[in-house]
Amino acid sequence: MKKLNIGLVGYGFMGRTHSNAFLQAPRFFSVPFQPVLKAVCARNADRVKSFAANWGYESIETDWRKLVDRKDIDLIDIASPNDTHADIAVAAARAGKMILCEKPLGRNAAEAEAMVNAVESANVPNTVWYNYRRVPAVVLLKELISQGKLGRVFHYRAQFLQDWTISQDLPQGGEGLWRLDVAVAGSGVTGDLLAHCIDTALWLNGPLADVTAMTETFIKQRKHALTGKVEPVGIDDASAFMGRFQNGSLALFEATRYARGHKALYTLEINGEHASARWDLHDLHRLQWFDHGDEGRLRGWRSVHITDGDHPYMKHWWVPGLQIGYEHTFIHQFADFLLAAESGKGLSPTFREALATDYVTDAVLRSARSGRWETVAVGQQARV
Amino acid sequence: MKKLNIGLVGYGFMGRTHSNAFLQAPRFFSVPFQPVLKAVCARNADRVKSFAANWGYESIETDWRKLVDRKDIDLIDIASPNDTHADIAVAAARAGKMILCEKPLGRNAAEAEAMVNAVESANVPNTVWYNYRRVPAVVLLKELISQGKLGRVFHYRAQFLQDWTISQDLPQGGEGLWRLDVAVAGSGVTGDLLAHCIDTALWLNGPLADVTAMTETFIKQRKHALTGKVEPVGIDDASAFMGRFQNGSLALFEATRYARGHKALYTLEINGEHASARWDLHDLHRLQWFDHGDEGRLRGWRSVHITDGDHPYMKHWWVPGLQIGYEHTFIHQFADFLLAAESGKGLSPTFREALATDYVTDAVLRSARSGRWETVAVGQQARV
Amino acid sequence: MKKLNIGLVGYGFMGRTHSNAFLQAPRFFSVPFQPVLKAVCARNADRVKSFAANWGYESIETDWRKLVDRKDIDLIDIASPNDTHADIAVAAARAGKMILCEKPLGRNAAEAEAMVNAVESANVPNTVWYNYRRVPAVVLLKELISQGKLGRVFHYRAQFLQDWTISQDLPQGGEGLWRLDVAVAGSGVTGDLLAHCIDTALWLNGPLADVTAMTETFIKQRKHALTGKVEPVGIDDASAFMGRFQNGSLALFEATRYARGHKALYTLEINGEHASARWDLHDLHRLQWFDHGDEGRLRGWRSVHITDGDHPYMKHWWVPGLQIGYEHTFIHQFADFLLAAESGKGLSPTFREALATDYVTDAVLRSARSGRWETVAVGQQARV
Amino acid sequence: MKKLNIGLVGYGFMGRTHSNAFLQAPRFFSVPFQPVLKAVCARNADRVKSFAANWGYESIETDWRKLVDRKDIDLIDIASPNDTHADIAVAAARAGKMILCEKPLGRNAAEAEAMVNAVESANVPNTVWYNYRRVPAVVLLKELISQGKLGRVFHYRAQFLQDWTISQDLPQGGEGLWRLDVAVAGSGVTGDLLAHCIDTALWLNGPLADVTAMTETFIKQRKHALTGKVEPVGIDDASAFMGRFQNGSLALFEATRYARGHKALYTLEINGEHASARWDLHDLHRLQWFDHGDEGRLRGWRSVHITDGDHPYMKHWWVPGLQIGYEHTFIHQFADFLLAAESGKGLSPTFREALATDYVTDAVLRSARSGRWETVAVGQQARV
């Protein structure tokens, strides 16, 4: 089988989920490439060596430019902080590498547009790790919608609720906390959490036309981990918007890191004329389904345990009743990517599709500043 | 409209639920009698006066024999402790009164048989307050079973879990605690809680053939509220049995007052070839329903909110989504009783049907002593 | 005991819930008045007679002005459609009657202000039937907030989701459907459903400062039940807003009648620094509670079954584990009102407090038209 | 790092879960050996080659005796059907190999005793794959019990409910269906499912003293996959028992493959004086916890999402809120085994501890035949 030499940038949380996907995909899926963990790159040589040893990377780099220049690398996986995405992606595209990029694509749509242009000019297979598109329950919902089971859609709601930054003592910036540093992250929960909700929504329910938004930074100043000084906090701690999809349905979205009691509660609900569905990340192996076509007296929300062989991806795993977890979404996406890449294609969400999410998050942040409804940039349509 | 003069014995918890039913039934249901709260009887004159004033009883008695003798009473409702049921019922039957009796019918089947004989000889309309047969969700389940939606039944399980007697300091006997005094109650949770589970089961799934049982008294001695002495506890704190229904399905039943965290958690589940159902008292307005006939990938337990106009009894109450509570089961039973009584009939569960439950509880207690499987007495068939 | 002669206007759904409250409150609560169902008034003489017979009203009227003029009436209860509230209330206040009024107070704040002025000038005890303030779980939450258990509040969310008007065939206006006729109702879900969410929120979390809103009418034309003609639909089918409370927390509210699968799902959630709580109307006897002070490894959302004697109102009902339902909220409010009225006071929410909700719904509708953030009128503060 | 050469017998469902554990454990846990997938053995050469290629086994065997004889194998993992466990284990012990064995240990206690004797004579590290002991939620519960948080235990219940064999058309025996062939499996759900429940129970709640049991075979004849003939079914389709633990608490256990709507619903509940807990396999990442010590009005069942860094095993995985799945239990057990093996010890449950479960299942089957209470063999104590 043809080998696919992978060069990973970043060894943080996402470096681990991606590396696991590289190793696990061939064990559980029939894939057309043999992934090879060729090199991992990060600035701290000691830590990157340790990471490489653990995951079996053959070599290390401490400068991503060198990694990109290596001839023995077929694919660059960008799992480093947001402020590095654009430079690496553009360089990797120019070097003709396939590219996997963590979300959000750019810190803003301008960065993301440059990235899209780069991969489309270079015509390299690419995808963005909006991994929740590969939750079996969410994929099943996509299929149900495509089959027309919902009919006309009236409402789409999504939330991503966390509570891990409530403490005033948490510093901003630095290892593991760069998501709190606006210069690195680009925004707060808007790009980190809301982007997930938006990506899934565009996929399931089509483009958003316009939005009105509200953001808040509850803790105004935090010590910066790198400078040691107490500095203004630039990120948004909470972000919410209302809007209208092009199909006429109403949008209600919210993300926050100040919802005490919720760890990573991404929830979505879609209400159609004939049926409705709900899903959440805390029980990701379940889909809540309401079918108005059921016999009247027995209508109710079904809790479908998505662990059967005829559920998306599940024949590759265990037997009915035995659940999978978070990491499997990355395995699914990588297995799908390999299939697409074999024929030279990118995998949805491609950079272009992920750009659509950046257009929405840009509009959200713009509206939060202006206090007005903002039109989402054209070209945002998900092309699946 | 014809008046129906009611004489109530007992002013405890059940005296309240019944009195409320007498008052509410005509407001929400079209009934063929106008219930009149004619008299209430209990030994403590002061308290019974207060009770009568609160609920609007026209008169009081302190000796149930006088109440039974009164010519202006059409119906005797027995809501006094278990050790009084048989005497009152037999006397009331002889006096030609309609009779409502709290469950269990007797402290044992021998008492209950005498009661059945009395009402059947007198041919007076009668019913036993196994109120959970009038929960809308349970009635719906009965209808589904009758329609054959379950197919062959494999399993029937029921539990009644409470935790209110765990404290060693709780006395036995006396006001409000007579359920802990075996001389008054007849047994512990077997007659108090398990009897409810059995009654519903016989109704939904038919007769039980034989059982093997286990009982336990966790706290062996308690102070007796009347004598003031520490005395051996005669009741069972927990009672469980396995058995076989005549239809070949397996029974697994349990009741306890030592299940920390559960207040009055009566749960039942029935598993058939084509469908299964679950219900519990802590959310009595919901029925859990699983239909194997649903499209494979969308099979799941439906949580049906039993508040629609086409759900049993519910068109008499509010609008969809607005739940009713515990007391309504008594209102339903009384409304149903009035309809039956108009044509001179008793209402299921009649004394005879309730006797079937006493046959089972007798077999349970017998098996718990013998350590052997015990056959349930014949004649136990529910005649619905 | 002193009698309180009640004159009810309206015999619809709310006429029933109120009448039941008048009858039940004295049975379960110690109240300082003996309510007398003196008269019920509605335009259709036959139907009002039938209603009076069922509930035990001593007399009927077909013109509310006559009812208000009657000297033997102490209290006017307004349970008729929204467009009648203001006229009746103003007249009743002038006549010196105590007044109970269904929500929303007026079709808009201007109407409501007139009503507030009338009752305050006349100094008559008054309350508005925002009944969800009397759900035991919600009252418990109010107490927990008052005790400071939440600390600083970050988020307050509420939804009221229904699905009963999705059919195009449903007419607007007429008996039972006046809520779909904007001339009668004043607005759609904004005044009908969102108003409930807002009232509870102002009570629990204090005043709202400003809002940005979105409304939608999914079905643009319906046959009018009275004219028989297909006419434009003037109500909002869905209404959502974001906003900021004066305490700095963020608001996210939504109401709709187009959320397939939800019957009357009023949900609320509040996230504080130290604790969070959730409640919903489909299981109104439960409070979801998360306490960050719990031992770390055992933190989780508690599902508290609000049926214990030390839960608000519950000692008046049954025993732990046995739930109450929707209608009890009205019984509670009426019992509370009688206590307040004894000392000449109104009961929260008084007309003035309910006016605060109209200020918010006015701002919501204004913002939905303007597309801008709108300030909520001053004077909206809940005065509890 | 020292290498550990693994020889696996069996390539079915369990061969996959174990192989995955061998590969994943070193990625996520710090282990003292480097596992090497040296050889996999099964009778079908083509299929075993394919399996070896997929998982990276260096070689294959088609006769387990050859595998056991190989000098380059340090550890034998028995993942073949139940009728092969004893022979392989005894031979492997004699050959001085470390041994991992799928559950149940033997088809009956006699087989299992021989296996225990073999490993104890040879003094080789061993463990049995009762993997549910490595569910983080279950481990947390074990710790809570060990800390005395439950106080005196009153009840322990467990169920394992499935529905996959209801169809009459399912054959018995053969590839993937050997669990339905009594000659191979030893028993039906008793050894397959109930054994899991018993193992966890002995670990959490100590030894069982005696039991009374009931089994049922609903479908009496099935075509045998190997002979092609319709033959009597020898396995039990359902198995239930009541019993008493040595600590005085009551046992209620049930397993079935005829509970329509349940895929692999292993549930357990333990009720103590001070606290109770529930867990189930369909949401294995949650622990339900009730603490009677909580403030009275706020007592409720907590749904604890076991995904925090201070939950057992979870710091090795992702971040709070992100769940793991079924396969992780095997990874945990293998990682733990390596740590134990480093110092020459076996890992709980060792063969001896797993024998205790066989003593209980033997007593269950004996009681189901005798209709009497049966004493569980001595020596069954879990030695943790």
Side-chain angles (χ1 to χ4, degrees):
Chain A
M1 196 187 301
K2 194 181 169 195
K3 292 187 176 182
L4 184 80
N5 290 333
I6 298 172
L8 167 70
V9 186
Y11 54 40
F13 178 48
M14 283 303 148
R16 295 178 74 229
T17 62
H18 299 186
S19 298
N20 184 62
F22 303 151
L23 292 168
Q24 291 289 79
R27 308 291 184 206
F28 292 91
F29 292 81
S30 181
V31 292
F33 291 96
Q34 181 184 335
V36 178
L37 281 64
K38 206 70 187 177
V40 55
C41 170
R43 279 170 295 186
N44 183 317
D46 287 343
R47 299 182 74 168
V48 78
K49 273 180 199 164
S50 165
F51 185 91
N54 188 76
W55 290 96
Y57 283 89
E58 297 178 5
S59 63
I60 66 159
E61 297 291 347
T62 55
D63 179 347
W64 64 262
R65 290 167 210 280
K66 288 196 181 164
L67 183 74
V68 167
D69 286 344
R70 278 174 58 165
K71 301 300 175 199
D72 62 346
I73 296 291
D74 302 315
L75 180 156
I76 295 290
D77 178 28
I78 306 170
S80 43
N82 299 352
D83 59 340
T84 67
H85 289 191
D87 286 350
I88 301 175
V90 170
R94 286 179 187 154
K97 313 295 191 194
M98 300 181 189
I99 312 179
L100 314 179
C101 185
E102 253 308 312
K103 44 64 56 183
L105 187 56
R107 281 175 297 181
N108 50 56
E111 280 192 352
E113 283 171 347
M115 298 167 78
V116 169
N117 290 339
V119 295
E120 295 193 345
S121 299
N123 196 27
V124 291
N126 59 84
T127 196
V128 180
W129 289 101
Y130 279 111
N131 61 302
Y132 298 120
R133 288 204 193 186
R134 262 72 191 186
V135 174
V138 176
V139 177
L140 177 58
L141 176 53
K142 171 69 175 173
E143 294 176 15
L144 296 169
I145 293 171
S146 299
Q147 290 166 14
K149 292 219 175 194
L150 267 64
R152 180 180 173 189
V153 176
F154 299 117
H155 292 283
Y156 189 104
R157 289 172 212 98
Q159 292 181 311
F160 208 128
L161 307 181
Q162 299 188 331
D163 70 355
W164 65 280
T165 64
I166 292 179
S167 167
Q168 170 71 67
D169 299 334
L170 203 66
Q172 57 180 320
E175 186 82 24
L177 291 173
W178 61 262
R179 284 176 178 79
L180 278 67
D181 184 345
V182 72
V184 178
S187 69
V189 298
T190 304
D192 187 27
L193 306 180
L194 208 52
H196 273 302
C197 302
I198 294 164
D199 173 72
T200 317
L202 299 182
W203 187 50
L204 295 178
N205 200 38
L208 274 159
D210 50 12
V211 299
T212 181
M214 164 178 73
T215 60
E216 181 63 83
T217 302
F218 289 112
I219 295 188
K220 309 293 188 193
Q221 294 185 313
R222 290 183 183 277
K223 179 182 278 192
H224 199 290
L226 303 181
T227 66
K229 292 184 194 161
V230 173
E231 296 180 5
V233 172
I235 62 160
D236 44 294
D237 290 335
S239 179
F241 73 88
M242 303 187 301
R244 293 171 192 275
F245 287 92
Q246 287 188 9
N247 68 6
S249 60
L250 304 185
L252 199 59
F253 284 66
E254 183 190 20
T256 180
R257 295 185 185 130
Y258 284 72
R260 183 59 83 197
H262 301 302
K263 298 175 184 180
L265 189 62
Y266 173 13
T267 70
L268 65 86
E269 174 164 349
I270 184 166
N271 300 135
E273 190 176 358
H274 306 309
S276 288
R278 292 173 62 95
W279 170 83
D280 79 74
L281 181 56
H282 277 200
D283 296 289
L284 66 82
H285 57 296
R286 290 183 178 273
L287 182 71
Q288 308 293 326
W289 176 251
F290 181 92
D291 190 334
H292 190 63
D294 283 344
E295 178 185 344
R297 303 201 305 171
L298 292 174
R299 281 188 204 120
W301 284 83
R302 300 183 200 170
S303 184
V304 188
H305 202 261
I306 306 292
T307 55
D308 289 352
D310 56 1
H311 288 138
Y313 298 108
M314 293 309 295
K315 73 177 175 190
H316 297 277
W317 297 104
W318 315 110
V319 297
L322 303 181
Q323 73 194 60
I324 59 169
Y326 167 72
E327 75 229 42
H328 300 71
T329 57
F330 294 91
I331 302 170
H332 299 162
Q333 186 162 357
F334 186 61
D336 288 348
F337 177 80
L338 293 180
L339 288 169
E342 190 190 16
S343 45
K345 294 182 191 160
L347 179 73
S348 177
T350 59
F351 277 29
R352 176 159 291 278
E353 288 168 311
L355 169 60
T357 292
D358 283 354
Y359 283 136
V360 178
T361 51
D362 270 17
V364 164
L365 295 171
R366 208 160 59 234
S367 170
R369 285 189 301 268
S370 72
R372 289 196 299 261
W373 283 77
E374 297 284 346
T375 302
V376 177
V378 294
Q380 56 123 352
Q381 285 77 355
R383 304 179 185 180
V384 186
Chain B
M1 197 187 303
K2 196 181 167 192
K3 292 187 175 180
L4 184 81
N5 290 332
I6 297 172
L8 165 70
V9 188
Y11 54 40
F13 178 47
M14 283 303 149
R16 295 176 74 230
T17 62
H18 299 186
S19 299
N20 185 63
F22 303 151
L23 292 167
Q24 291 289 79
R27 307 290 184 209
F28 293 91
F29 292 82
S30 180
V31 292
F33 292 96
Q34 180 184 337
V36 178
L37 281 62
K38 206 69 186 179
V40 55
C41 171
R43 280 170 295 188
N44 184 316
D46 286 344
R47 300 180 73 168
V48 79
K49 273 181 200 163
S50 165
F51 185 92
N54 189 76
W55 290 96
Y57 283 89
E58 297 177 4
S59 63
I60 67 158
E61 296 291 345
T62 56
D63 178 348
W64 64 260
R65 290 168 209 279
K66 287 196 181 164
L67 183 74
V68 167
D69 287 344
R70 279 174 57 164
K71 299 301 174 196
D72 63 345
I73 297 291
D74 301 314
L75 177 155
I76 295 291
D77 178 27
I78 306 171
S80 44
N82 299 353
D83 59 340
T84 68
H85 289 191
D87 286 351
I88 301 173
V90 170
R94 285 181 188 151
K97 313 297 192 194
M98 299 179 189
I99 312 180
L100 314 178
C101 185
E102 252 308 313
K103 47 62 57 182
L105 186 56
R107 281 174 298 181
N108 50 56
E111 280 191 354
E113 283 171 346
M115 298 167 78
V116 170
N117 290 339
V119 296
E120 294 193 346
S121 299
N123 196 26
V124 291
N126 60 83
T127 196
V128 181
W129 290 102
Y130 279 112
N131 61 304
Y132 297 121
R133 288 203 194 186
R134 263 74 192 184
V135 173
V138 176
V139 177
L140 177 58
L141 176 53
K142 171 70 175 173
E143 295 176 15
L144 297 170
I145 293 171
S146 299
Q147 290 166 12
K149 292 219 174 194
L150 267 64
R152 181 180 172 189
V153 176
F154 298 118
H155 292 283
Y156 189 103
R157 289 173 212 95
Q159 292 181 312
F160 209 128
L161 307 181
Q162 298 189 331
D163 70 354
W164 64 281
T165 66
I166 291 179
S167 168
Q168 169 71 66
D169 299 334
L170 203 66
Q172 58 180 318
E175 187 81 23
L177 291 173
W178 61 262
R179 284 177 179 79
L180 279 67
D181 184 344
V182 72
V184 178
S187 68
V189 297
T190 304
D192 187 28
L193 305 180
L194 208 52
H196 272 302
C197 302
I198 295 165
D199 174 72
T200 317
L202 299 181
W203 188 51
L204 294 178
N205 199 37
L208 273 159
D210 50 11
V211 299
T212 182
M214 165 178 75
T215 60
E216 181 63 82
T217 303
F218 289 112
I219 294 188
K220 310 293 188 191
Q221 294 187 313
R222 289 184 183 277
K223 181 183 277 193
H224 198 289
L226 303 181
T227 66
K229 293 183 194 164
V230 173
E231 297 180 7
V233 172
I235 61 160
D236 45 291
D237 289 335
S239 179
F241 74 88
M242 303 187 301
R244 292 170 191 277
F245 286 91
Q246 287 188 11
N247 67 6
S249 60
L250 304 185
L252 199 60
F253 284 67
E254 182 190 21
T256 181
R257 293 183 187 132
Y258 283 72
R260 182 60 82 197
H262 300 302
K263 298 176 183 178
L265 188 63
Y266 174 11
T267 69
L268 65 85
E269 174 165 349
I270 184 166
N271 301 135
E273 189 176 357
H274 305 308
S276 287
R278 292 173 64 95
W279 169 83
D280 78 73
L281 181 55
H282 277 199
D283 297 290
L284 66 82
H285 58 297
R286 291 183 177 272
L287 181 70
Q288 308 293 324
W289 176 251
F290 181 92
D291 190 335
H292 190 64
D294 282 344
E295 178 185 344
R297 303 201 305 171
L298 291 173
R299 280 188 204 122
W301 284 82
R302 299 183 201 171
S303 184
V304 188
H305 203 260
I306 306 294
T307 56
D308 289 351
D310 57 359
H311 288 139
Y313 298 110
M314 292 308 296
K315 73 177 175 192
H316 298 277
W317 297 104
W318 313 110
V319 296
L322 302 181
Q323 74 194 59
I324 59 169
Y326 167 74
E327 75 231 42
H328 300 71
T329 58
F330 295 91
I331 301 170
H332 299 163
Q333 184 163 359
F334 186 62
D336 287 347
F337 177 81
L338 293 179
L339 288 169
E342 191 190 17
S343 48
K345 292 182 194 162
L347 179 74
S348 178
T350 60
F351 277 30
R352 176 159 292 280
E353 289 168 310
L355 170 59
T357 292
D358 283 354
Y359 283 136
V360 178
T361 51
D362 270 18
V364 164
L365 295 171
R366 209 160 59 235
S367 170
R369 285 190 300 268
S370 73
R372 288 196 299 261
W373 282 77
E374 298 283 347
T375 302
V376 177
V378 292
Q380 57 124 348
Q381 286 78 354
R383 305 179 185 180
V384 185
Chain C
M1 196 187 300
K2 195 180 169 194
K3 293 186 175 181
L4 184 80
N5 289 334
I6 297 171
L8 166 70
V9 186
Y11 54 41
F13 178 48
M14 283 303 147
R16 294 176 75 229
T17 63
H18 299 186
S19 297
N20 185 62
F22 303 151
L23 292 168
Q24 291 289 79
R27 308 290 183 207
F28 292 91
F29 292 82
S30 181
V31 292
F33 291 96
Q34 181 185 335
V36 178
L37 281 63
K38 207 70 186 177
V40 56
C41 170
R43 280 170 293 186
N44 183 316
D46 288 343
R47 299 181 74 168
V48 77
K49 273 180 200 163
S50 165
F51 186 91
N54 189 75
W55 290 97
Y57 283 89
E58 298 177 5
S59 62
I60 66 160
E61 297 290 347
T62 55
D63 178 348
W64 64 260
R65 290 167 208 281
K66 287 196 180 165
L67 183 74
V68 167
D69 286 344
R70 277 173 59 164
K71 300 300 174 198
D72 63 345
I73 297 291
D74 302 315
L75 179 155
I76 296 290
D77 178 27
I78 307 170
S80 43
N82 299 353
D83 59 340
T84 66
H85 290 191
D87 286 349
I88 301 174
V90 170
R94 285 182 186 152
K97 313 296 192 193
M98 301 180 189
I99 312 179
L100 314 179
C101 185
E102 253 309 312
K103 45 64 57 182
L105 187 55
R107 281 175 297 181
N108 49 56
E111 280 192 353
E113 282 171 347
M115 297 166 79
V116 170
N117 290 338
V119 296
E120 294 193 348
S121 298
N123 196 26
V124 292
N126 60 84
T127 196
V128 180
W129 290 102
Y130 279 112
N131 60 304
Y132 297 120
R133 288 203 193 186
R134 263 73 192 186
V135 173
V138 177
V139 177
L140 178 57
L141 175 53
K142 171 70 174 174
E143 294 177 16
L144 296 169
I145 293 171
S146 299
Q147 290 165 15
K149 292 219 175 196
L150 266 64
R152 181 180 173 189
V153 176
F154 298 117
H155 293 283
Y156 189 104
R157 289 173 211 96
Q159 292 180 312
F160 208 128
L161 306 181
Q162 298 189 332
D163 69 355
W164 65 281
T165 65
I166 292 179
S167 168
Q168 169 72 65
D169 299 334
L170 203 65
Q172 57 180 320
E175 186 83 24
L177 291 173
W178 61 261
R179 283 177 180 79
L180 278 67
D181 183 345
V182 72
V184 179
S187 69
V189 297
T190 304
D192 186 28
L193 306 180
L194 207 53
H196 273 302
C197 301
I198 294 164
D199 173 72
T200 318
L202 298 182
W203 187 50
L204 295 178
N205 199 38
L208 274 159
D210 49 13
V211 300
T212 181
M214 164 177 74
T215 60
E216 180 63 82
T217 302
F218 290 112
I219 295 188
K220 310 292 188 192
Q221 294 186 313
R222 290 183 183 276
K223 180 181 277 193
H224 197 290
L226 302 181
T227 66
K229 294 184 195 161
V230 173
E231 297 180 6
V233 173
I235 61 161
D236 44 292
D237 290 334
S239 178
F241 73 88
M242 303 187 300
R244 294 172 190 275
F245 287 91
Q246 288 188 9
N247 68 7
S249 59
L250 304 185
L252 198 61
F253 284 66
E254 182 190 21
T256 180
R257 294 185 186 130
Y258 283 72
R260 182 61 82 196
H262 300 301
K263 298 175 182 178
L265 188 63
Y266 174 12
T267 69
L268 66 84
E269 174 164 349
I270 184 166
N271 301 135
E273 188 176 359
H274 305 309
S276 288
R278 292 173 64 94
W279 169 83
D280 78 73
L281 181 56
H282 277 199
D283 296 290
L284 67 82
H285 58 295
R286 290 183 177 273
L287 182 70
Q288 308 294 325
W289 177 251
F290 181 91
D291 190 335
H292 190 64
D294 282 343
E295 178 184 344
R297 303 202 304 173
L298 292 172
R299 281 189 204 120
W301 283 83
R302 299 182 201 172
S303 183
V304 188
H305 203 260
I306 305 294
T307 56
D308 289 352
D310 57 359
H311 288 138
Y313 298 109
M314 292 308 296
K315 74 177 175 190
H316 297 276
W317 297 105
W318 314 110
V319 297
L322 302 181
Q323 74 194 59
I324 59 170
Y326 168 73
E327 75 230 42
H328 300 71
T329 58
F330 294 91
I331 301 170
H332 299 163
Q333 184 163 357
F334 186 61
D336 287 348
F337 177 80
L338 293 180
L339 288 170
E342 191 191 17
S343 47
K345 294 182 192 161
L347 179 74
S348 178
T350 60
F351 278 28
R352 176 159 291 280
E353 289 167 311
L355 169 60
T357 292
D358 283 353
Y359 283 136
V360 179
T361 51
D362 270 17
V364 164
L365 295 171
R366 209 160 59 234
S367 170
R369 286 189 300 267
S370 72
R372 288 197 300 261
W373 282 77
E374 297 284 346
T375 301
V376 177
V378 293
Q380 56 124 349
Q381 285 76 357
R383 305 179 185 179
V384 185
Chain D
M1 196 188 301
K2 196 179 167 194
K3 293 187 173 179
L4 185 80
N5 290 334
I6 297 172
L8 166 70
V9 187
Y11 55 40
F13 178 47
M14 283 303 147
R16 295 176 74 230
T17 63
H18 299 186
S19 298
N20 185 63
F22 303 151
L23 291 168
Q24 291 289 78
R27 308 290 184 207
F28 292 91
F29 292 83
S30 180
V31 291
F33 292 96
Q34 180 184 336
V36 177
L37 280 63
K38 206 70 186 179
V40 55
C41 170
R43 281 171 294 188
N44 184 317
D46 287 343
R47 300 181 73 167
V48 78
K49 272 180 200 165
S50 165
F51 186 92
N54 189 76
W55 290 96
Y57 283 89
E58 298 177 5
S59 62
I60 67 158
E61 297 289 347
T62 56
D63 178 348
W64 63 260
R65 289 168 211 280
K66 287 197 181 163
L67 182 75
V68 167
D69 286 345
R70 278 173 57 165
K71 299 302 175 200
D72 63 344
I73 297 291
D74 301 315
L75 179 156
I76 295 289
D77 179 28
I78 306 171
S80 44
N82 298 353
D83 59 340
T84 67
H85 289 192
D87 286 351
I88 301 174
V90 170
R94 285 182 186 151
K97 313 295 192 195
M98 300 180 189
I99 313 181
L100 315 178
C101 185
E102 252 308 312
K103 47 62 55 184
L105 187 55
R107 281 175 297 181
N108 50 55
E111 279 192 353
E113 283 172 346
M115 298 167 79
V116 170
N117 288 340
V119 296
E120 294 194 346
S121 298
N123 197 27
V124 291
N126 59 85
T127 196
V128 180
W129 290 101
Y130 278 112
N131 61 303
Y132 298 121
R133 288 202 194 187
R134 262 74 191 186
V135 173
V138 177
V139 177
L140 178 59
L141 176 53
K142 170 71 175 173
E143 294 177 14
L144 296 169
I145 293 171
S146 299
Q147 289 166 14
K149 291 219 175 194
L150 267 63
R152 180 179 172 189
V153 176
F154 299 118
H155 292 283
Y156 189 104
R157 289 173 213 96
Q159 292 181 312
F160 209 128
L161 306 181
Q162 298 189 331
D163 70 354
W164 64 281
T165 65
I166 291 180
S167 168
Q168 170 71 67
D169 300 333
L170 203 66
Q172 56 181 321
E175 186 81 24
L177 290 173
W178 61 262
R179 283 176 179 80
L180 277 68
D181 184 345
V182 72
V184 178
S187 69
V189 297
T190 304
D192 187 28
L193 305 180
L194 208 51
H196 272 303
C197 302
I198 294 165
D199 173 72
T200 317
L202 299 181
W203 187 51
L204 294 178
N205 199 37
L208 273 159
D210 49 12
V211 298
T212 181
M214 165 177 74
T215 60
E216 181 63 81
T217 303
F218 289 112
I219 294 188
K220 309 294 188 192
Q221 294 186 312
R222 289 185 185 275
K223 181 181 276 192
H224 198 289
L226 302 181
T227 66
K229 294 183 193 162
V230 172
E231 297 180 6
V233 172
I235 61 159
D236 44 292
D237 289 335
S239 179
F241 74 88
M242 303 187 300
R244 291 170 192 277
F245 286 91
Q246 287 188 10
N247 68 6
S249 59
L250 303 184
L252 199 60
F253 283 66
E254 182 190 20
T256 181
R257 294 184 186 131
Y258 284 71
R260 183 59 82 197
H262 301 302
K263 298 175 184 179
L265 188 62
Y266 173 12
T267 69
L268 65 86
E269 174 165 348
I270 184 166
N271 300 136
E273 190 176 357
H274 305 310
S276 287
R278 291 174 64 96
W279 170 83
D280 79 72
L281 181 55
H282 277 199
D283 297 290
L284 66 82
H285 58 296
R286 290 183 177 273
L287 181 70
Q288 308 294 324
W289 177 251
F290 181 91
D291 190 334
H292 190 64
D294 282 344
E295 178 185 343
R297 302 201 306 171
L298 291 174
R299 281 188 205 121
W301 284 82
R302 299 183 201 171
S303 183
V304 188
H305 203 260
I306 306 294
T307 55
D308 289 352
D310 57 359
H311 288 138
Y313 298 110
M314 292 308 296
K315 73 177 174 191
H316 298 277
W317 297 104
W318 314 111
V319 298
L322 302 182
Q323 74 192 60
I324 59 169
Y326 167 73
E327 74 230 43
H328 300 71
T329 59
F330 294 91
I331 302 170
H332 298 163
Q333 185 163 356
F334 186 62
D336 287 348
F337 177 80
L338 293 181
L339 288 169
E342 190 190 18
S343 47
K345 293 183 192 161
L347 179 74
S348 179
T350 59
F351 277 29
R352 174 158 293 279
E353 289 168 311
L355 169 59
T357 291
D358 283 354
Y359 283 136
V360 178
T361 51
D362 270 18
V364 164
L365 295 171
R366 209 159 61 235
S367 171
R369 286 189 300 268
S370 72
R372 289 196 299 261
W373 283 77
E374 299 283 347
T375 303
V376 177
V378 293
Q380 57 124 349
Q381 285 76 355
R383 302 177 187 180
V384 184

